[in-house]
Each structure stands twice: as structure tokens, then as C-alpha cells.
Amino acid sequence: MGNAKILDYMKENILFLDGGMGTLLQEQGLKPGELPERWNISQPDKIQSIHKSYYDAGSNVVSTNTFGANSLKFNDNELEEIIRTAINNVQKAKETSTGTQEKFIALDIGPTGKLLKPFGDLDFEDAVAIFAKTVKLGVKYGADVILIETMNDSYETKAALLAAKENSKLPVFVSNAYSEDGKLMTGASPAAMVVLLEGMHADAIGTNCSLGPKALLPIIEEYVKYASVPVLLKPNAGLPKSVNGKTVFDILPDEFAEDVTEAIKKGVRIAGGCCGTTPDYIKALTSRAKNIPPVANLPKNISCVSSHTHIVEFNTQPILIGERINPTGKKRFKQALIENDIDYILKEGINQQERGVHILDVNVGLPDIDEAAMLKRTISELQAISDLPLQIDTSNAVAMEAALRLYNGKAMINSVSGKEESMRQIFPLAAKYGGFIVALTLDEDGIPSTAEGRVEIAKKILRVAAEYGINKKDIIFDPLCMTISTDDNAALETLKALRILRYELGCHTSLGVSNVSFGLPERNAINSVFFGSALENGLSAAIMNPYSYDMMKTYFSYRALHGMDPNCSDYIDFCSKYTIETTPKETSAKVSAQSGESALQQAIIKGIKDEAGTITESLLENVPALEIVQKDIIPALDKVGKGFEEKKVYLPQLLMSAEAAKSAFEKIKIHLTKSENSDNTAKKCAVVIATVHGDIHDIGKNIVKLLLENYGFNVTDLGKDVPPETISAAVVKLHAPILGLSALMTTTVPSMEATIKLLRKDAPWCKIIVGGAVLNKEYADKIGADKYAKDAMGAVRYAEEINIQYQADL
Amino acid sequence: MAFVKKYSSNQCGEFNKKEISRYAGNLQDEALLNECLTEVSDKLTCNVCYRKFPISKQGTALNLGFAQTTSADLAKNLDGCDGIFLFAATLGIEIDRLIMKYGKLSPVKALIFQAIGAERIEKLCDQFCKDMAKEETLKPRFSPGYGDLPLSLQNDIFAALDCGKNIGLTLNDSMLMSPTKSVTAIVGIISK
């Protein structure tokens, strides 16, 4: 830390910040919509006078008037001038203030005002670059500390902190703005923020804005409970009210000072005010609180991981880590990876979550794919739809870093080993990005056969980790289990290692439980008993298959037996679900007498997803896959499709049928991969589809995708907000004869037009279908599309025409 | 500065299932709709931020207090008004998560959540305007993109209301809002 003076000061003292800026500027004549940062240049006297009044009131730290000073709002020259003058304005105030306290200058950084992808349009790395520019200028012009504040999204907070750490050696304070429900706008709990920010070495963390000091107290209590670094509080002067056309806040200086002082007694170490507070509030606060002895902040020693919403703590309750997102030994999964079929992978994640796992292991490594790219995509798509923390499982250090950088939270890192090379690769990544590290007790000489040998490696790993500042609370040991089919004592040695690691070294432990039964029949029986034994011997977490009822039974029974399940309610709940799922569903393959439709046809026409799947499964025992497709699925789809075109069937029904057909196709796909038969169900030509750049709506596009897939097209979905270059590159790479583009808003139609123009140049062979709420035929013609599809069936019918020509040309 | 009003979904009234079914393109499976309503019930935050401005106009040239613009349609809407409430309302990001999740897993459900969001955000705006009408006589609300009111006014609205800080609402380069189930609007206050 280059400038540790402020940190030294904080060791013995409460650090007082300044108060509100916005309201004071408005009183001085700042107009609605006018950018306050420009006043650093145009009204330096007014800005300096406000800063000075805060120093005079006793603030140790005054923040620059740079809340929105970023490269999205200002060009480079103006940005530099703003930050230069802003720091100078605080410097001047510091020099002229009558206050005798220690004084520091904070570079203030607020949110960009944009939401990050995938819910907004700002790329994570672009956000890092935007914050980096501001940080570098703050360093250049002499700030003492960086204050990242009022952040209401965990992901943007991570981007800002990463930029601060990568571009400065200054201490960084990070403050988030919570809603009344005690969470950030995008869902993070205070504990989740503590874990994320401490993992990345924020020097102080806390909360500001939104509410008054009393209302923020529950949030502060969470911070004090989880944080090992100093906690910061910068509340509003209560809530704003309009009185006779003037905005007033409902908490006055004395009450404010009293409430914040209470928070200081509970452990807050850095205090100031936000909206509505003035030098009077800070004066009241510093007078009242200056002689209060600071509460020591102690290391909390909590082992946990986090997602963008919550933490999962490793304590006495066993943690389940779902192992199914992994291609090893799974043909269907490998195929999904090769085909870039992200939806299949996401479904594995959601299904495991529904089974009750706490963490998802993510392994997408295959020899012939770009693992870093695939891992990044999987993590970002998985985090968009699941709130579970992820365990990043790769032996590729480049992929690991890419994933840790992008991950929204504190990830579990799988894995490091006692090999020198592995430790030197993984520990620096964990030190930089944070993470809870799975450490395998093996080294250059392999896995020691004895428990003692494995414990020795564990000790070595702890020593090396400490060199990187990594504490043992952030390491979980996997003592590894060999199969008992080749070594009678394999399980016993592992259990012994578990006991020593957990109870003598005081470390958490994890195991891939199922290895123990490799080569034996009825593996579930062995696995579940071993799982129970391991839990009895100190296992903290298991990497396991949550679809195995034996394993889940063991888990729920263990918790019930160990007083971890009040009134056995989780156990009872599990058993009731288990009974439902094991009752065979009644499905009949009978042909309906009235309509002449087969059971599968009926299931598809009625849109009953599960039934379509189970019927297909049983049909596959006797009927060739191709015959099922041609005699049942396609006729059923056609019937529904025609009904839709004739306006007898509505969109929701069409989709339900399409989903039912998809579930039938999925069973066929699994069947074909199992039977070593490559998928020879006569695929039609390739279709690339995307929602155009700038547009974030993709329901329409997803509907078209589903139907095209059902009709046998080989669909590559590029997602939403896709730049023209990416679309063009994909079409060229696949030599796709068809491209489908979707746009919902008038403002994104120009982007559609630009894409079409680029395609005409790069891929003149490609026919382009467009659709979306704002489009019509005239508009489509104007921007040069080949076809306007008024609905999903329109797109399918046109694609079929093109496919016929395409197949004929081959 | 802008004020924030927070509602629960219940305060905005019962779900209008007929309306939702219509928005979803004539959904007939009520069981599926109910399933979606249950899933969404604790995931909606109904937040509004607003601010009052005096206005003046000359023909179609409008000074809205936070921005200048030209719009014959808005000028007509604001006939007889000397002020406006400018507001932004959002259902929050969780419904976007549901729409994204089911976009991958079950497009029909994504369609239904989309429809639920459309119904809810309208109800939230209605409820907010109803509350504001307790003290003033108001015109129907008018949003950028209606008639000839330019969508680019969104930039000024976001600056004037500080939507990001107040209700977590952001604007992208194409003038689309995130979270997507959001509305910005101008409500004329009829002169007394």
C-alpha cells in the first residue's frame, strides 16, 4: 500500500467523512439536468467553499465532486480537467480550513448509470475500463484514497474495485446503496457484498445513501458480523419530503448524530453523511462521536463462497456441490458442448438447483473447444438465471483467470494441488480475485497412500498459500478417494485423512464421493454409505450427483440425525417429493379412437411436455427414431402450425406444443448418442439467428429458434445485443444460407439495417429474414431484408423454402 | 430533487388475468398462468421516482422545466396545464431474470412473464397517477415515443430524475430501459 497514512490513522481513530453535495449545489443554483462535475471548472469557489465547510466541521476525509466523472459522460480532455480541478478544489479547502484534525482527499467514484450485461448493455470489461480512466487520473492528481460509493449493483461494484486495484496502490473504500428490503437493486445481501469485496482486498466497506441511519442499522449489523475490514456508514438525513415546494429531509442534525454514534458503538469505524446532510450534520456528529473509543474490528474467520445474491457458509451443515455440469463420461453433454448448445448446460444447472444443491460445479473442458471462451459464456449465462454460487472447475489456468475475473461474487476454485506449478498458478489468481480454493492433497509424486502423507501435503499447501496472503479459512481440502475395488483400505485412509484435516488442522474438507465405488456394481449403495461415513468423519462438502436418491436420502437423514433439521421438516418434505417422483406416470401409447392421433401426437398437440418425453422414451424401445419423428412428431407439429396460421391456435398453445415436441426430440437425441448412432435425423440447413445490436429483447427470437429447431433446422443462436461483425462472422463460418434478425424498437432498426448491409458484402449468398414488433413488410423492404416474417410460423415456412433450394443446389 | 414512492404489487390491485392472457396472445391455460403468477408473486418491486416541474409553451415548443422539446401531440395533451409530474416506474430486475431464465427453459413461460410484467407496470403507473391525483387534477400520462414526442427525451428524463440512484433504472444507448418492465412518463397538472 503506497499511501498507508490514512490506514494507520484509522487503526486508532474513527475516520469522519463529509456530508451531502447534491442538495448544497442545488441551493447554489445548479439546474436540473446540469452536470455537477462541470462546476469544478466553472464554479471552483462555490465547490471549495462547500469542501472547506466540511473540513471546518471536522471531516477527516472530503470527497471530490466527481460522482459522475466518467468517460461515458465526458470526453477524455474534459474528464481530466474535471478530476484535476476537483482534487485541486479539495486541496485548496484543506489548506484554508481552520480544522486541526488529520485531513485526507478522497477521489469519489459513483456508478456509471448503466446496467451491466446481460440485463443491461454495458460489458463488464468496458465498465472496468471506464472506472480505470477515472482512477488513473485520481492517482495522477494526488488523491489519498478512493471512495467507490452508492453502488447498487454487485457486478458494477466489482468492476469499479477491480479497476481501482489494477490501476492504483491507494486504499480503496467501497460503499453500497441498499434498498429497504436490505438488498442491492440487483439482489445482493450485505454478507454477499462483504465476501466479494474482502476477497478483492477492499480496505474498508460499508453502506451509504438510500435511508437514514436508523433504517440502515440492520445492514450495518450484518457488515459488522461478517467484515474483517473497517465498516463505513454514510446515511441520508432520513427521507426527503416536499414542504411548500421545498425539499426537506426528516432527520435533523442532532438526531442524525445520535443515531450514527450508536452505529459507531456497534462497530462502525468510518462515518459521514449522504443526501440531505450538510456541514451542520457533520459538525453535530464529530462533536458527539470524537471521543468514543473505536470498536476493534477482528478477523471473522468465516469460510464461504458467494453468488450475486447470497453467501453459502461452510460450517457444520454439509454442503452439496452438484457435479453434473461436466462432460466426463457423458456423451450427451459432450455433444452439447461441441454444438455450443448452452441451453442444455443451463438446464443441467437449474435441474440440480431444484434438487437442492447449494453450489454448482462448472466444468466445460473438452480437448477441441476454446475452454476459456466456453467457460466465460457458461458462467455468465448461468449466473443470469441461477442464484447459486459456482465452483469453477478447470485445469486450464487461462480459463480459470478469465472465469474468476468475470464471476459475479466469490467463486469456489477447483482446484489447486500440492504441485509447485499448480500453487504458483492458482494462488496469485485467488489472491487477486478472491475465491474459496479446493486443494487436492497430491503433489509431484502423486497421491500418498497414507492419510499422514496427504496431511503433510496439506500443510505444505497452507504454507505456500500464506506467502500469497491466503488464509486457511479460504482453503478446503480434498484428501481424494481411490476406488475400493483396487485397494481394500482406500476408503479407510481417506476417512482418516478427513478426521485429521478437519479436527487437528481445523480446515474444511470436500470429496468427490463417487470415485470410491469405481468398478463395482450398484455404485449408489457404496457411494451413499461412504458419504454418510465421510460426514461422520468431518466432511464439510461433497461434490455429488443430486439425481441420485440414495445420496440425497443420506444427506437428509444425516441432517435429521444430527439435530440440523428442526422437526425433521426438510427430511419429511424430501420424502413426500420422493414418493411423488417414483410413482410411475400413467402413459398409454394407445391411439385415440376419435381423432386417429397417436398418444405422442396428442401429447404434442395438447402441449404436455413431460408426457411427450416419457411416451417418446417408451416408443424408442421398439420404434426407430426416424419413424417417431416422421410419423408422430412432424405431423403433430404441422397440425398445430397450420392451426396457428389459420388462427385457430394461439401463440401460447403453439409454444406449448413446440416445447412438448422439443422434449420428445431431446429423448431421441439422448437415444441416438447412446446407441453410437450419430444424429442422422436428416438435418436441414444451418440458420443463424440473433437480436440486433442495441436491442435486449429476445422472447420473439427465442420463439423462432424453438420452432426452427423443431422443424429440423440446425440453429445457431447468437443471443441478443449482437454486433453486426459477430453476426457476419458466424454466417460466414457456417456458410449459413439463412439468417434471422429480430428487433423490437424503432431505435434498433438502424442497427438491423447496418447488419444487413454488412452481410450483403460478406455473405451475399445468405437470405435474411427479419421480424419484431416495430417491423412490417415495407420497413423490411426498405432496409433490404429478403423476407419479413410476421410471426414464428412465417419464419419457419420461409426457411423451408430456402432449405429446399439449398438441398437441391448441393 | 426527485422523490421515491414504493409500492407492493398488492397495492397496485389484483392481477387482471384476462388482460394478461390477452397480452400473451390469447393464453387459455389458466393453470399455467396461475403457476406463473405464484412464481412471480414475491419477485416484483414496484418503485416510482418523480418530480414536479413548472412548464411553459409556445405553440408546439415546450419548456418542460427539465428540458426543451417540440411536440404537437404533447402540447395538445398538456393543454390547460402549468406544471407536470415527471415520473419513472419500474418492476425491478427479478422479472427480467425470470423472462431470461424461461427464455432458455420454456419460451411459453417467458411469454407469460412478459405479459404479467406488461400488466403490472401499467397497474403501477395507474396507481401512482391515482395517488398523485388526490391533490391535483391530472391529464392522462404521456411517454417519450408516443405520437411525435421524441424518444431522445429519455436522456433528459434520466438526468432529471436520477433514475439509477433512486430506483435502479438505467438507459442504454438505444434508449431502452433496464430493467425492461419500466415506464417513464409526463403527467400534466391542470392549472387551478
Side-chain angles (χ1 to χ4, degrees):
Chain A
M1 207 87 358
N3 189 332
K5 201 175 159 203
I6 187 168
L7 298 179
D8 281 343
Y9 178 81
M10 283 162 57
K11 282 182 191 150
E12 307 292 333
N13 300 282
I14 303 289
L15 189 75
F16 293 104
L17 307 177
D18 57 2
M21 183 58 121
T23 8
L24 299 178
L25 293 178
Q26 276 161 30
E27 279 172 18
Q28 302 257 10
L30 184 78
K31 295 198 180 59
E34 193 182 350
L35 295 171
E37 294 79 15
R38 291 210 166 107
W39 273 33
N40 288 308
I41 304 170
S42 63
Q43 310 271 1
D45 296 346
K46 287 180 180 167
I47 300 293
Q48 285 169 23
S49 136
I50 294 172
H51 289 330
K52 178 177 177 296
S53 57
Y54 278 119
Y55 277 132
D56 288 347
S59 297
N60 298 110
V61 179
V62 166
S63 302
T64 53
N65 176 31
T66 53
F67 186 81
N70 61 54
S71 57
L72 281 176
K73 292 198 184 104
F74 304 98
N75 68 36
D76 286 0
N77 290 337
E78 194 181 8
L79 182 66
E80 176 149 8
E81 192 54 12
I82 284 170
I83 290 172
R84 187 186 69 77
T85 52
I87 292 177
N88 184 54
N89 288 336
V90 184
Q91 182 63 39
K92 282 273 149 56
K94 187 176 154 186
E95 287 161 10
T96 52
S97 164
T98 52
T100 54
Q101 75 279 19
E102 287 278 353
K103 299 190 193 72
F104 304 96
I105 301 173
L107 173 73
D108 191 71
I109 298 181
T112 58
K114 291 242 177 199
L115 192 60
L116 271 64
K117 287 177 182 178
F119 293 101
D121 68 340
L122 182 60
D123 184 74
F124 179 76
E125 289 299 343
D126 290 343
V128 175
I130 288 165
F131 289 119
K133 273 192 180 170
T134 304
V135 166
K136 283 182 197 161
L137 291 170
V139 172
K140 180 173 173 187
Y141 290 106
D144 299 313
V145 54
I146 294 169
L147 174 60
I148 296 165
E149 60 147 322
T150 327
M151 291 281 172
N152 57 17
D153 171 34
S154 58
Y155 209 23
E156 188 178 7
T157 316
K158 172 169 178 172
L161 178 55
L162 191 58
K165 287 289 171 186
E166 285 186 333
N167 296 285
S168 86
K169 293 194 157 48
L170 296 178
V172 187
F173 298 173
V174 184
S175 178
N176 287 102
Y178 289 87
S179 312
E180 267 159 44
D181 61 0
K183 292 175 184 164
L184 300 189
M185 295 282 186
T186 47
S189 67
M193 289 315 297
V194 171
V195 164
L196 165 68
L197 299 172
E198 281 198 357
M200 294 176 62
H201 309 287
D203 296 280
I205 55 178
T207 180
N208 73 296
C209 210
S210 324
L211 303 164
K214 266 202 199 79
L216 287 178
L217 212 54
I219 290 160
I220 281 301
E221 283 167 352
E222 286 289 290
Y223 268 85
V224 171
K225 180 176 165 194
Y226 287 101
S228 303
V229 298
V231 173
L232 173 156
L233 173 64
K234 209 174 178 288
N236 287 353
L239 296 170
K241 280 188 214 158
S242 182
V243 178
N244 301 327
K246 248 196 110 183
T247 306
V248 294
F249 283 80
D250 64 0
I251 297 179
L252 297 174
D254 282 340
E255 186 186 348
F256 178 85
E258 193 180 321
D259 294 345
V260 174
T261 305
E262 278 314 299
I264 289 172
K265 287 180 185 163
K266 286 189 192 285
V268 165
R269 297 293 302 262
I270 303 170
C274 201
C275 304
T277 62
T278 63
D280 289 344
Y281 285 75
I282 300 302
K283 178 89 193 135
L285 171 63
T286 54
S287 324
R288 186 185 281 264
K290 69 179 169 210
N291 292 323
I292 295 186
V295 179
N297 55 293
L298 303 168
K300 298 302 189 294
N301 222 12
I302 295 167
S303 294
C304 64
V305 290
S306 70
S307 66
H308 52 286
T309 57
H310 67 281
I311 64 167
V312 169
E313 209 173 318
F314 289 73
N315 205 332
T316 47
Q317 292 265 0
I319 300 299
L320 301 180
I321 303 169
E323 69 180 9
R324 302 293 298 174
I325 300 182
N326 191 324
T328 312
K330 300 191 197 85
K331 275 188 189 153
R332 177 63 187 91
F333 198 98
K334 278 182 192 158
Q335 189 188 357
L337 280 177
I338 291 161
E339 291 173 359
N340 232 329
D341 179 1
I342 194 87
D343 293 1
Y344 180 84
I345 300 168
L346 297 178
K347 258 179 212 159
E348 280 287 359
I350 294 295
N351 288 343
Q352 292 182 91
Q353 179 165 18
E354 281 167 4
R355 293 291 165 128
V357 302
H358 307 105
I359 295 169
L360 296 171
D361 184 84
V362 179
N363 182 326
V364 291
L366 268 192
D368 296 327
I369 67 163
D370 177 351
E371 190 181 352
M374 192 65 199
L375 192 58
K376 277 167 76 173
R377 178 165 181 215
T378 305
I379 284 171
S380 108
E381 297 227 19
L382 202 51
Q383 285 209 293
I385 64 167
S386 165
D387 63 356
L388 292 187
L390 304 181
Q391 169 167 289
I392 300 164
D393 184 355
T394 174
S395 51
N396 174 336
V398 174
M400 180 62 85
E401 169 151 30
L404 288 176
R405 195 173 168 88
L406 190 80
Y407 181 75
N408 190 355
K410 176 180 177 179
M412 202 154 169
I413 298 173
N414 190 10
S415 57
V416 75
S417 76
K419 286 180 187 167
E420 198 64 23
E421 189 195 351
S422 163
M423 292 191 285
R424 300 294 168 203
Q425 269 181 344
I426 296 299
F427 287 145
L429 298 180
K432 178 173 180 184
Y433 298 105
F436 186 55
I437 312 159
V438 180
L440 311 177
T441 57
L442 62 88
D443 63 11
E444 286 79 1
D445 301 324
I447 304 169
S449 56
T450 64
E452 289 76 11
R454 292 178 212 178
V455 171
E456 278 316 306
I457 292 176
K459 287 180 180 164
K460 177 175 79 180
I461 291 173
L462 287 176
R463 277 197 303 275
V464 179
E467 290 173 23
Y468 292 89
I470 296 167
N471 192 287
K472 83 173 177 192
K473 80 174 170 70
D474 282 324
I475 294 182
I476 179 166
F477 284 107
D478 183 339
L480 301 160
C481 189
M482 304 291 100
T483 171
I484 50 169
S485 65
T486 54
D487 175 358
D488 293 345
N489 291 319
L492 288 175
E493 282 304 316
T494 299
L495 293 174
K496 188 174 172 192
L498 279 179
R499 285 194 299 276
I500 304 175
L501 289 167
R502 184 73 183 270
Y503 301 117
E504 291 179 25
L505 260 63
C507 292
H508 284 289
T509 56
S510 161
L511 269 182
V513 179
S514 49
N515 293 346
V516 73
S517 62
F518 195 80
L520 292 173
E522 293 293 332
R523 292 183 61 186
N524 269 330
I526 298 276
N527 291 350
S528 57
V529 173
F530 180 62
F531 180 33
S533 309
L535 288 169
E536 294 288 358
N537 283 278
L539 185 71
S540 317
I543 304 175
M544 47 80 74
N545 175 6
Y547 306 147
S548 156
Y549 282 113
D550 289 311
M551 291 292 285
M552 295 308 283
K553 271 193 246 174
T554 304
Y555 166 75
F556 283 105
S557 306
Y558 176 86
R559 288 179 70 246
L561 288 165
H562 287 73
M564 296 173 178
D565 183 8
N567 305 318
C568 302
S569 60
D570 291 347
Y571 177 79
I572 293 166
D573 188 46
F574 165 74
C575 292
S576 65
K577 280 186 197 152
Y578 175 69
T579 326
I580 295 165
E581 288 192 26
T582 47
T583 313
K585 281 180 191 146
E586 280 185 35
T587 50
S588 61
K590 274 182 270 169
V591 176
S592 156
Q594 302 107 347
S595 59
E597 287 157 358
S598 74
L600 180 54
Q601 284 177 349
Q602 282 188 3
I604 292 171
I605 290 166
K606 287 185 184 152
I608 312 168
K609 229 197 267 193
D610 296 345
E611 203 169 309
T614 32
I615 295 172
T616 307
E617 241 174 349
S618 61
L619 284 176
L620 281 166
E621 286 167 20
N622 305 308
V623 187
L626 200 60
E627 195 177 318
I628 300 175
V629 174
Q630 283 169 350
K631 287 203 172 147
D632 287 312
I633 305 179
I634 298 285
L637 274 174
D638 263 338
K639 186 163 181 182
V640 181
K642 283 212 183 79
F644 179 75
E645 285 161 330
E646 289 161 7
K647 301 201 173 10
K648 288 180 195 148
V649 168
Y650 297 103
L651 181 62
Q653 185 57 43
L654 176 73
L655 284 182
M656 285 163 74
S657 294
E659 286 178 29
K662 190 174 177 182
S663 130
F665 277 124
E666 180 56 34
K667 299 294 178 194
I668 288 172
K669 217 163 183 177
I670 293 170
H671 178 79
L672 291 177
T673 40
K674 262 189 203 152
S675 60
E676 298 284 340
N677 248 326
S678 61
D679 190 352
N680 57 1
T681 45
K683 276 262 182 194
K684 292 176 185 158
C685 68
V687 181
V688 172
I689 61 169
T691 298
V692 297
H693 190 48
D695 207 320
I696 51 172
H697 296 83
D698 64 355
I699 291 189
K701 182 215 70 190
N702 288 339
I703 291 170
V704 173
K705 174 189 174 187
L706 174 66
L707 286 169
L708 284 171
E709 281 175 345
N710 275 340
Y711 277 85
F713 287 92
N714 184 6
V715 183
T716 298
D717 177 9
L718 300 176
K720 58 188 184 172
D721 193 6
V722 189
E725 300 73 32
T726 313
I727 297 174
S728 170
V731 170
V732 170
K733 189 178 162 202
L734 297 164
H735 203 82
I738 306 171
L739 167 66
L741 294 175
S742 157
L744 189 93
M745 301 274 293
T746 42
T747 49
T748 55
V749 173
S751 157
M752 185 177 263
E753 192 174 5
T755 308
I756 294 174
K757 242 185 212 141
L758 184 65
L759 259 294
R760 293 303 179 218
K761 187 163 73 72
D762 294 354
W765 65 84
C766 182
K767 297 286 183 195
I768 302 170
I769 317 174
V770 297
V774 291
L775 288 165
N776 54 36
K777 184 162 185 322
E778 292 69 40
Y779 220 165
D781 290 343
K782 206 180 122 206
I783 61 174
D786 294 296
K787 171 78 184 174
Y788 162 69
K790 71 172 172 31
D791 56 37
M793 283 309 296
V796 169
R797 296 300 183 214
Y798 182 71
E800 292 204 298
E801 279 175 35
I802 302 299
N803 181 58
I804 290 169
Q805 291 171 18
Y806 175 79
Q807 306 284 5
D809 292 346
L810 281 184
Chain B
M1 67 180 283
F3 296 95
V4 177
K5 247 184 170 12
K6 301 192 173 188
Y7 294 88
S8 68
S9 175
N10 286 338
Q11 285 171 312
C12 303
E14 298 251 316
F15 286 101
N16 184 338
K17 292 190 191 176
K18 239 175 140 174
E19 189 108 320
I20 296 170
S21 303
R22 195 169 59 79
Y23 283 144
N26 199 353
L27 173 70
Q28 293 176 334
D29 190 330
E30 199 179 338
L32 187 63
L33 173 57
N34 288 337
E35 193 184 312
C36 291
L37 286 173
T38 310
E39 191 166 351
V40 82
S41 64
D42 60 347
K43 297 205 164 66
L44 299 170
T45 56
C46 301
N47 294 344
V48 184
C49 64
Y50 67 100
R51 195 166 164 180
K52 196 171 168 177
F53 289 99
I55 58 160
S56 60
K57 53 183 174 167
Q58 266 189 324
T60 60
L62 297 162
N63 180 350
L64 296 170
F66 65 94
Q68 322 264 350
T69 189
T70 306
S71 161
D73 295 321
L74 180 59
K76 198 171 154 201
N77 174 279
L78 294 179
D79 203 24
C81 299
D82 57 4
I84 52 163
F85 284 119
L86 175 68
F87 78 88
T90 181
L91 300 182
I93 200 169
E94 292 306 318
I95 187 155
D96 281 7
R97 281 192 204 283
L98 282 177
I99 292 169
M100 192 176 285
K101 175 173 168 180
Y102 287 105
K104 314 277 182 194
L105 303 178
S106 166
V108 69
K109 279 182 138 185
L111 186 73
I112 296 170
F113 285 121
Q114 178 87 9
I116 293 172
E119 189 265 1
R120 260 316 81 171
I121 190 67
E122 283 302 311
K123 284 279 164 55
L124 172 60
C125 294
D126 290 349
Q127 187 59 44
F128 170 74
C129 291
K130 220 160 131 190
D131 287 348
M132 300 316 279
K134 284 174 190 160
E135 287 161 28
E136 314 269 7
T137 316
L138 301 180
K139 289 272 190 165
R141 61 177 180 268
F142 203 94
S143 292
Y146 285 13
D148 63 355
L149 185 63
L151 206 53
S152 58
L153 195 64
Q154 288 282 57
N155 280 319
D156 304 298
I157 295 177
F158 272 69
L161 292 177
D162 208 351
C163 297
K165 191 167 161 181
N166 284 314
I167 56 171
L169 180 59
T170 63
L171 190 64
N172 80 7
D173 295 339
S174 325
M175 300 293 146
L176 293 177
M177 292 182 280
S178 305
T180 58
K181 293 298 161 210
S182 304
V183 163
T184 56
I186 290 164
V187 193
I189 305 170
I190 297 173
S191 328
K192 281 175 190 157

